[in-house]
Amino acid sequence: MCTEGRRGAAFRHKLLLHNMRPKQMLRLWFSMLILTLLLLFWFGVLITRDSPPATQNSSLRGYRRISPHRKTKFLDVHCSHCAVVSSSGQMLGAGAGDEIDRSGCVIRMNNAPTRGYEKDVGTRTTFRVVSHTSVPLLVENKQYYFKQSADTTYVFWGPKRNMRQDGEGIIFNVLLKLAVKYPKLNMYVMTQDKIEYCDSVFQNETGKNRMKTGAFLSTGFFTMILAMDMCDRISVYGMIDDNYCSRANHSDVPYHYYEQKRISECRMYTYHEFTQRGGHRFITEKAIYAKWATQHNIQFKHPAWKL
């Protein structure tokens, strides 16, 4: 009975289609087409709604927007040519300001100023990579950094204890308050996964575990990682190579161009390279950058490097 019933229903369906006028047939097929397209669109939304945009650089998903509304948004930018401006005293007298400002993106570090040093370091700041320890220095002059320089994108990094987002991260809480006060500011924080990735890069390049050696990666290291993530070509200004301080004729410049009466650059580098705990391995990092320059489009200026 069931088989005969199905055959009867099929026969009636064919008969109905046969008796339909051409216009009615056209309307039926058109309706079925629309329904099919709507179903395909719905399935497409389900599949892609949690996926990053096709043009999003996956490397930049290591930089998350600081938002008081806790909306997840990742850095999404691409620069054909970036100028990475060191805070080194090597920039004094470099006269590279106009050249730096002509770059597509200009990346600076921590609280390095431009005012009063425009001829040597330029005026534009597209990105500023900031250590957790330098956040208080920016807050002291928030009128300049967060109001007058509102077109700058900030990328902050720090250890989990200071940057945790459960209400216990002291530095992250400060940044969250700034995001509320200056809602138009573009502020991003390096994710914990990205920082751990940088640790693995250091270990792969040196064969040493960063934590076991008692070292901390420098802001310069994170800046170079960011530049390689988003720039096709990189010009680095004012950064010395790993052999510079061992040369007999090296020039003696301050560690920061804006702190001219402080310790010299080479003395600072030597101290950090060999201190047992809590130092930056500046000299080791420069050797890593030299290797990267053979693999990426990176050029060093003021002073120039012989790779």
Side-chain angles (χ1 to χ4, degrees), residues 43-249:
F43 280 117
V45 170
L46 287 178
I47 293 171
T48 62
R49 66 180 180 180
D50 294 324
S51 302
T55 56
Q56 169 76 65
N57 182 345
S58 60
S59 298
L60 294 178
R61 290 177 65 81
Y63 310 90
R64 182 182 289 115
R65 179 79 179 266
I66 299 174
S67 169
H69 306 297
R70 300 301 175 95
K71 293 182 179 180
T72 299
K73 181 181 179 181
F74 298 104
L75 185 64
D76 188 8
V77 67
H78 173 261
C79 300
S80 58
H81 179 213
C82 293
V84 174
V85 186
S86 165
S87 302
S88 166
Q90 299 287 340
M91 294 305 299
L92 293 171
D98 290 340
E99 181 180 336
I100 290 170
D101 283 341
R102 288 195 297 269
S103 304
C105 295
V106 180
I107 308 174
R108 304 185 192 275
M109 303 176 215
N110 294 322
N111 61 317
T114 58
R115 188 180 300 161
Y117 303 95
E118 294 88 347
K119 185 177 179 180
D120 292 328
V121 305
T123 60
R124 294 177 54 235
T125 306
T126 318
F127 291 87
R128 189 177 287 273
V129 182
V130 183
S131 161
H132 60 113
T133 58
S134 293
V135 170
L137 299 176
L138 269 61
V139 172
E140 285 179 6
N141 195 5
K142 55 180 176 286
Q143 174 70 18
Y144 170 73
Y145 289 107
F146 302 128
K147 195 169 184 180
Q148 296 178 25
S149 301
D151 56 342
T152 298
T153 295
Y154 291 84
V155 177
F156 298 93
W157 71 271
K160 186 176 181 179
R161 65 179 182 277
N162 289 338
M163 306 302 281
R164 54 193 297 176
Q165 301 178 27
D166 59 356
E168 299 297 324
I170 297 175
I171 298 299
F172 185 81
N173 290 344
V174 172
L175 298 175
L176 202 57
K177 289 179 181 178
L178 289 172
V180 173
K181 186 172 183 179
Y182 304 102
K184 293 183 179 180
L185 267 181
N186 289 317
M187 298 197 303
Y188 292 80
V189 61
M190 291 187 72
T191 65
Q192 190 61 33
D193 286 344
K194 189 67 174 183
I195 289 179
E196 290 175 2
Y197 164 78
C198 292
D199 280 343
S200 69
V201 169
F202 181 86
Q203 183 163 340
N204 289 339
E205 297 288 3
T206 64
K208 299 177 181 179
N209 181 281
R210 176 196 64 80
M211 295 184 67
K212 290 182 179 179
T213 64
F216 295 105
L217 296 177
S218 72
T219 299
F221 192 93
F222 292 116
T223 301
M224 291 295 288
I225 292 288
L226 172 64
M228 289 190 296
D229 282 343
M230 70 179 190
C231 310
D232 293 332
R233 181 163 61 96
I234 305 168
S235 296
V236 184
Y237 292 83
M239 189 178 288
I240 61 174
D241 63 57
D242 56 311
N243 295 313
Y244 183 89
C245 293
S246 61
R247 298 189 189 109
N249 61 344

